[in-house]
Amino acid sequence: MVIRVARGGGRTHTARLVAEALRAAGRVIVEVLGADGTTGLPLAPFAPVLSSYQLDGAVGAADPSLALLAYTRLPRLLADPQAAACVVVDDADDLDSASGVLVSHLARAGASVVLVAADLVSLPRAIRDGIADGRWELIEVAPASPDEILALATARVGGELSAGAAASLLARCEGRPAVAVALLEYAVPEPTPGGVELRWTQPGAAELGRWFLDPALLAPDVRRAAEVVAVAGDVPADAVRQVGGMDRLLSDGVLREDAGMIGFARHLDRDLVLAATPPSLGRLRAAEALSVFSAVSGDDSGRARSALLAVRAGSPPPAGAILAAAQQPALTTPERAELLAAAPNDFAATQLLRGAEASAAGQLEAAGACLDRARALLAGDRTRPDHDDLLVRLAHELGVLHAVRHGDAAVAVAAVTSLLSEPVGSRTKDLIATGLVKWRLMAGETDVAAPDVDAADVDAAGAVGAAVIGAMIASLDGSRSAAEQEVAAGFRALARTTVAPASSGHLLELSRFLALVFDGELARAQELSTSRRDAAARAAGYELGMWEYAAAELALHTGRLDDAAVLGGRAVRHLAWHDFTGLRTTAEALVLAVAARRGQTGLEPPDPADEPDVKVALHLARVAATRSGPDVLVVAARRALAESHGHLGVLALDEAWMMCRSPGLADELLELGGRGGVARLLATRASAQVDGSAQRLSAAAVALEETGLVGRAADSWEQAARLHQESGRHDAAVRDRRTAAVLRSVHLLGSWPESGVLLSRREIEIAHLAAQRVRSKEIGEQLGLSVRTVDNHLAKVYRKLGVSGRTELRSALEEQPG
C-alpha cells in the first residue's frame, strides 16, 4: 500500500497513525525512516532493521554479496506469517536506490509494506509500475479541511482565531498541518473580543524551505521572473514569451496558468519572493510587468491590473483610469486601497469608493464622512456623465452602512429614500427603489415586493440588482423554480457588467442555497455551502461570514446542535470582520437559540416582538420558548409567514408543534404543505401524528432522514415508538426507540425537544468496535481504557438500546446507515 500525503500535510503523523492502528490489531511494526536515504549511504534507512535481524554487515559494505544477503534473507524473515510483521516506511520518496530495491523484494516475497510518500515519481520504478497495474494500492490523503486546521490553531494559540487571522492562516498553509504549525511559530497571538488576532512575523525561506520556494536558490533569470509575477500578482499567459525564466517556473510547478493568466501556485511562495524583493527593485519589476500588460489588449480586469502596476512603478495613470480600476472585483481589498490612495480627493467617485472601503473595514465614522462628501460633490455637479450611476452606488453604500454596519435598517430606509427626491431620470429611481427593497425587509416592513423593472430601461448592473432582490424574495417565500430563474438571470446580467456590487454573485449563490434547502435538497445545499465556505476561508473572502451563518442555520434545522454552535460562533466572528448582508445580529441570536436548545439556562434575550428583523425575532423566540412554552414561537412563525419569510416561518411553526403536538398547529402545517419539499414532508408527518398512525409516522421518519432532517427524523421515530407502545406493540416500540437513539447518537443531535436515549461519544466508539467482534481487552488497548471500564460502557449501551449481546448490537447498529 502507498499513502500519498502532500509535503507539509503530516506525512510523519500519518505514518505514526498507521503504525499505531496496525499495532493495535496485533501486528509487529517495522518502522523505516526513508529520509535517512538522503545521507548517501546504501540501505541507511534499513540500518536499524538489519541490525535487529543481525544482518547489519550488509549496510554500506563494499562486497555486493553482503547487500544480496539483505535482499534475500530479510524479505523471507518479514514475510513469515508467524512474524506478523508489517513494514511502515515514512518519507518513502527519499529512499536511496538500494533501499528501493529492498522494498520491491519485500513486496514480491509477500511481506506487508506500507509506504507514506509525497512524490510518487521518486518511488522505485517497480512500485510505480505496481501502482499503475493495481498490485500496489494507492490511497490519496486529502488536505486537512479548514475546520481541522482551525482546530489545530486553537490548540496551539489557546483560543479561536479571529476571522482575519483564520483566513490568513488558511490561505497560506493550504490544508497542510505541518505548514500551519510552522507558521504559528512565527505568529504573536493577541486575544481580542473577536477572537485571537495573529501578529505575523514573516518566516524566511530557511524555516519553510522544506515545503516552499527559497528565492536565494533560484538562477538570476528565474528569480527575476518570479519577482515580476510576485509584484504583479498575475500576468497574461503571453508573458512566458517576454520574460526569461518564466517557462522554468511553470514547468517546476511554482507558477501555474489559469484562464489565460499566470500566477503563483502557492500563496506563501509569493510571500517569500516579495519579502526578499527590496522596494526599489519592486518598482523596477512593476514597470517590467506593466510593459507585459501594455503589449496585450486586455479586458477590464487587465486594465485594472495595469493601473495598479503603474501606481506601484511610481507613475500613476490619469484619475479616471485609477477610479475605473478601483471598481473592478478582480482586485483585492488592499489593492483597491492602494489605488484609491493615489486618486484625487475632489472626485465624487473617490469619496464614494473610499467610503465603501472604510465601511467594509468597520471604520464607520470615516465611511459616513466620505459618503456625505460624495453626496455633496454629486449635488454640486449633476452634469457629469456618470452622475446617475454614482448615485445608485451611493444608495447601495448608504444602505449597507446604516442597515448592516450600524444595524439600523430604518435609518437605511430613510437615507436611501431621500435620494429618490434627487432630480434624476426614472431609470435611476427604479434602480434605487429596487435596492431599497432589502432594507425595507430588514426594517420589518410588510407587503414588500420587488419592483417591476423593464430590462430595456436598465443596463446589466441594474438587471443584476433586480435579480438579487427577486431571488432573495423567491428563495425565502416562493418556489424553487422562481428563485432559480432569478438566479440564472442575475448571473447572465453579471457576466455583462463589471460595475455591479462585488457581493452580487455571493447573494445570488445564497438564494440558490436557500431554494435548495426549502425544497428538500439538503444534501446539495450542504455541498454548496461547504464548498463556498471552504473556498472563502482559503482565499480570505469577505463572504466567509455569510456562508458560516448559512451552514450554522442549516445545522440548527437538521438538529445538529453541536455543529450549529461551532459554526454559529465562527459566523459571529467572521461577520464582525466583514458583513455585507446584515446577518451579524441574526448570527448572534442564532447562537443564543442553539445554547438554549443545548440546555444552557439563565439566558435573557430581548423580547422577540421588539425586534424589527424577523430572522432575529425567530431565533429569540426559540430561546424564549425553551422557558415559557411554544406560544411565543408560534407568534414569531406567523409573523415570518406574513413578512415574506414564509419558509422560515414553516420551520418555526413545526418546531412549536414538536413542543406541544397541538392539532391546531398540525392543521396549519397541513395548509402550508404546498410551499415546497420540506413543507410537504412536515405536513405529512403532522398528519400521521394527529391520525395516530405509527406506520405512516415511521415512513415519514425515513423520508425525513433521507432528506437530511435527521433531528426531526429521530423525533418521529420516538413518536412512532410511543404510538406502538400505547397499542401494545412492544417489540415495535423497542425497535423504533432504538432507531431514534442510534440516530441521535451517531449524528450528535442532542435531545431537543424531548429527552431521548443517547449514547455518549465513548459509548458509540465502544459499541461499533464491539459490534465488529473486537474483544474488550483489545478495545481497551485501542482506547486507553481498562477492560472493566469497557465492559461497564457496554452494559450501558445494551441497556439503552434494549439488546442482550454483541450479535443483537451489530443488528441494531446496521439498521442505521450512519
Side-chain angles (χ1 to χ4, degrees):
M1 175 187 295
V2 177
I3 303 176
R4 178 157 64 179
V5 185
R7 294 193 183 278
R11 294 192 309 283
T12 298
H13 179 66
T14 300
R16 189 179 301 120
L17 289 177
V18 169
E20 289 174 357
L22 291 170
R23 192 174 286 114
R27 304 298 295 271
V28 176
I29 302 303
V30 178
E31 295 184 87
V32 176
L33 302 180
D36 289 346
T38 60
T39 62
L41 298 174
L43 296 176
F46 279 90
V49 182
L50 296 170
S51 178
S52 66
Y53 284 91
Q54 298 181 349
L55 300 173
D56 49 318
V59 178
D63 187 346
S65 64
L66 295 180
L68 291 174
L69 183 66
Y71 293 155
T72 55
R73 292 192 56 187
L74 188 63
R76 188 168 63 251
L77 292 170
L78 294 179
D80 185 350
Q82 298 298 320
C86 182
V87 180
V88 178
V89 184
D90 186 15
D91 291 325
D93 40 352
D94 287 334
L95 289 172
D96 62 282
S97 58
S99 295
V101 172
L102 179 52
V103 167
S104 299
H105 281 296
L106 289 169
R108 280 197 294 271
S112 296
V113 181
V114 178
L115 307 181
V116 181
D119 181 13
L120 301 185
V121 176
S122 300
L123 292 174
R125 174 68 179 271
I127 296 172
R128 285 186 278 123
D129 291 344
I131 293 172
D133 62 25
R135 286 179 291 112
W136 282 81
E137 179 184 2
L138 175 63
I139 296 177
E140 301 272 3
V141 177
S145 70
D147 288 345
E148 290 168 334
I149 293 293
L150 294 179
L152 182 153
T154 297
R156 300 285 296 192
V157 304
E160 287 268 5
L161 297 185
S162 70
S168 180
L169 176 64
L170 291 170
R172 284 162 173 77
C173 77
E174 300 172 330
R176 287 176 278 186
V179 176
V181 170
L183 290 170
L184 289 169
E185 291 293 329
Y186 291 87
V188 180
E190 298 175 346
T192 72
V196 177
E197 293 285 354
L198 296 176
R199 182 159 49 81
W200 297 101
T201 58
Q202 178 68 50
E207 292 81 13
L208 298 174
R210 288 178 291 166
W211 311 298
F212 293 96
L213 185 70
D214 185 348
L217 300 180
L218 298 176
D221 62 327
V222 177
R223 179 166 182 171
R224 173 174 167 268
E227 291 166 349
V228 168
V229 180
V231 170
D234 292 296
V235 295
D238 287 347
V240 73
R241 294 197 300 268
Q242 302 177 49
V243 181
M246 195 170 292
D247 55 345
R248 174 65 181 275
L249 292 169
L250 282 166
S251 64
D252 289 347
V254 176
L255 302 180
R256 66 182 172 194
E257 182 179 345
D258 183 26
M261 300 295 289
I262 293 174
F264 276 88
R266 297 180 297 189
H267 196 296
L268 205 51
D269 279 345
R270 184 187 178 214
D271 284 355
L272 292 170
V273 173
L274 285 174
T277 305
S280 58
L281 185 58
R283 288 191 290 274
L284 178 62
R285 297 295 182 245
E288 293 180 48
L290 179 58
S291 68
V292 172
F293 275 91
S294 300
V296 179
S297 57
D299 54 11
D300 289 335
S301 175
R303 286 189 286 273
R305 185 66 54 184
S306 295
L308 177 64
L309 288 171
V311 170
R312 289 177 175 172
S315 52
I322 291 178
L323 293 171
Q327 298 182 66
Q328 294 302 314
L331 298 184
T332 65
T333 297
E335 287 172 341
R336 284 194 294 273
E338 193 176 348
L339 278 170
L340 290 173
N345 291 323
D346 57 348
F347 277 46
T350 301
Q351 297 301 328
L352 176 55
L353 295 174
R354 286 179 181 171
E357 294 300 317
S359 176
Q363 301 163 0
L364 305 189
E365 186 174 345
C370 286
L371 296 180
D372 286 344
R373 285 197 291 273
R375 183 169 187 175
L377 288 166
L378 286 172
D381 185 4
R382 293 191 172 93
T383 62
R384 291 179 56 87
D386 59 351
H387 174 275
D388 286 9
D389 289 339
L390 291 175
L391 196 68
V392 173
R393 176 69 185 272
L394 176 63
H396 172 75
E397 295 301 339
L398 284 172
V400 170
L401 175 64
H402 293 296
V404 176
R405 314 296 183 210
H406 285 297
D408 195 335
V411 172
V413 170
V416 176
T417 301
S418 70
L419 295 180
L420 293 172
S421 63
E422 295 284 339
V424 292
S426 60
R427 167 190 170 276
T428 301
K429 289 188 177 182
D430 284 345
L431 292 176
I432 293 174
T434 299
L436 182 59
V437 170
K438 56 179 170 289
W439 314 130
R440 292 178 61 198
L441 287 170
M442 288 181 64
E445 295 186 22
T446 57
D447 299 324
V448 179
D452 292 327
V453 177
D454 189 341
D457 293 336
V458 300
D459 59 12
V464 170
V468 167
I469 299 301
M472 181 190 306
I473 292 175
S475 66
L476 290 170
D477 201 46
S479 68
R480 174 181 167 186
S481 61
E484 289 181 338
Q485 287 175 8
E486 294 284 2
V487 169
F491 276 115
R492 284 196 299 271
L494 201 57
R496 303 196 306 271
T497 180
T498 60
V499 297
S503 60
S504 300
H506 303 306
L507 292 172
L508 289 169
E509 287 277 34
L510 180 63
S511 292
R512 175 180 287 160
F513 164 82
L514 293 172
L516 288 170
V517 169
F518 297 134
D519 200 42
E521 295 279 356
L522 271 70
R524 288 182 60 192
Q526 179 77 46
E527 182 180 351
L528 175 63
S529 70
T530 299
S531 66
R532 298 297 183 268
R533 185 166 64 92
D534 288 353
R538 292 190 176 101
Y542 59 87
E543 72 276 16
L544 178 57
M546 180 189 80
W547 285 113
E548 292 283 15
Y549 175 79
E553 182 153 30
L554 181 58
L556 170 67
H557 294 313
T558 58
R560 296 178 289 110
L561 298 182
D562 286 358
D563 289 346
V566 173
L567 291 166
R570 287 183 184 164
V572 170
R573 288 191 298 277
H574 295 162
L575 290 166
W577 172 52
H578 276 302
D579 181 14
F580 59 90
T581 60
L583 285 172
R584 181 180 177 183
T585 304
T586 312
E588 292 169 346
L590 178 143
V591 169
L592 290 176
V594 172
R597 291 198 172 169
R598 296 174 82 201
Q600 186 173 334
T601 59
L603 300 173
E604 295 290 342
D607 187 345
D610 296 334
E611 174 53 54
D613 188 330
V614 68
K615 299 186 298 298
V616 178
L618 283 170
H619 290 317
L620 296 180
R622 290 182 171 102
V623 181
T626 60
R627 296 183 302 157
S628 59
D631 289 351
V632 65
L633 188 53
V634 172
V635 171
R638 290 170 178 162
R639 175 186 164 190
L641 287 161
E643 294 185 9
S644 303
H645 287 69
H647 295 307
L648 292 174
V650 170
L651 287 167
L653 198 66
D654 181 69
E655 293 164 21
W657 173 78
M658 290 167 68
M659 297 176 71
C660 64
R661 315 291 169 178
S662 161
L665 292 182
D667 289 341
E668 286 190 56
L669 289 170
L670 285 171
E671 292 175 4
L672 296 167
R675 280 185 166 269
V678 167
R680 190 161 46 250
L681 281 175
L682 301 182
T684 300
R685 179 181 66 147
S687 173
Q689 175 98 45
V690 170
D691 292 345
S693 172
Q695 183 177 2
R696 286 173 52 209
L697 199 52
S698 297
V702 171
L704 287 165
E705 183 178 356
E706 290 176 347
T707 300
L709 294 168
V710 287
R712 286 171 164 85
D715 176 79
S716 298
W717 284 118
E718 289 163 353
Q719 295 304 312
R722 182 180 62 79
L723 292 175
H724 281 309
Q725 190 72 36
E726 291 172 354
S727 302
R729 296 187 293 272
H730 302 299
D731 289 346
V734 169
R735 181 199 63 217
D736 287 358
R737 275 197 298 270
R738 178 192 304 152
T739 300
V742 173
L743 194 61
R744 287 192 183 279
S745 301
V746 167
H747 292 281
L748 304 177
L749 298 177
S751 56
W752 187 90
E754 295 180 355
S755 295
V757 177
L758 292 177
L759 304 182
S760 69
R761 298 192 187 198
R762 179 63 82 190
E763 288 168 351
I764 292 172
E765 289 180 308
I766 292 173
H768 279 290
L769 290 170
Q772 296 169 35
R773 305 286 184 158
V774 180
R775 293 177 298 176
S776 295
K777 180 181 178 182
E778 294 167 345
I779 294 174
E781 290 173 352
Q782 287 192 40
L783 302 181
L785 303 173
S786 68
V787 173
R788 181 175 180 179
T789 300
V790 171
D791 288 338
N792 286 339
H793 279 304
L794 270 178
K796 292 178 183 177
V797 170
Y798 294 160
R799 185 173 66 254
K800 289 180 179 182
L801 298 185
V803 299
S804 59
R806 297 187 183 215
T807 301
E808 290 185 14
L809 175 62
R810 184 182 183 90
S811 299
L813 294 179
E814 286 178 346
E815 291 175 4
Q816 293 303 315

